[in-house]
Amino acid sequence: MNRERLYWTLQIGGWLLYAVVQIVSSIIASGGTSLDRVIFLFFESLLPLLVTHVFRILVHPSRWLKIGMPKLITRVLVMSFVLGVIVYILRMPISYLLGIFDG
């Protein structure tokens, strides 16, 4: 299997697994869930896939793996925080459009 196919298999498989866990957990926690909530949880899993792919495009050319462990750890921690904030902000309009936004 080539690297590109492996990347997409792990990206889609990992975020799909995340979506399934989120949906099943929501059903178990609330004794059922609405279709809007399931759609939101699916899109909530699609957002990180897109955001992490954009991150990969930005990181790949800069050769982060050649900068040394201390700088790499710092960059990964900072980017994890930044990506988390981006996903959090992007999920708000989706929940609003589905009518499940809870300010």
Side-chain angles (χ1 to χ4, degrees):
M1 183 180 294
N2 67 24
R3 292 172 58 109
E4 192 68 20
R5 185 171 176 180
L6 177 62
Y7 167 77
W8 282 111
T9 300
L10 293 174
Q11 270 287 80
I12 293 169
W15 291 116
L16 187 59
L17 177 63
Y18 174 77
V20 169
V21 168
Q22 288 286 88
I23 292 166
V24 170
S25 297
S26 177
I27 292 169
I28 291 170
S30 64
T33 193
S34 68
L35 181 60
D36 288 343
R37 180 80 178 144
V38 171
I39 292 169
F40 170 73
L41 291 170
F42 175 76
F43 279 110
E44 187 180 45
S45 301
L46 183 62
L47 283 174
L49 184 144
L50 298 173
V51 170
T52 56
H53 181 65
V54 169
F55 174 70
R56 178 181 186 243
I57 291 169
L58 296 174
V59 168
H60 190 61
S62 63
R63 308 285 184 231
W64 279 23
L65 297 178
K66 296 180 181 180
I67 63 171
M69 194 57 71
K71 287 183 181 178
L72 179 62
I73 290 172
T74 303
R75 283 187 184 184
V76 167
L77 291 174
V78 169
M79 287 308 298
S80 295
F81 176 77
V82 169
L83 293 177
V85 169
I86 290 170
V87 168
Y88 181 76
I89 290 169
L90 290 176
R91 68 191 285 264
M92 283 186 228
I94 292 172
S95 64
Y96 182 78
L97 290 172
L98 291 171
I100 60 174
F101 181 75
D102 183 13

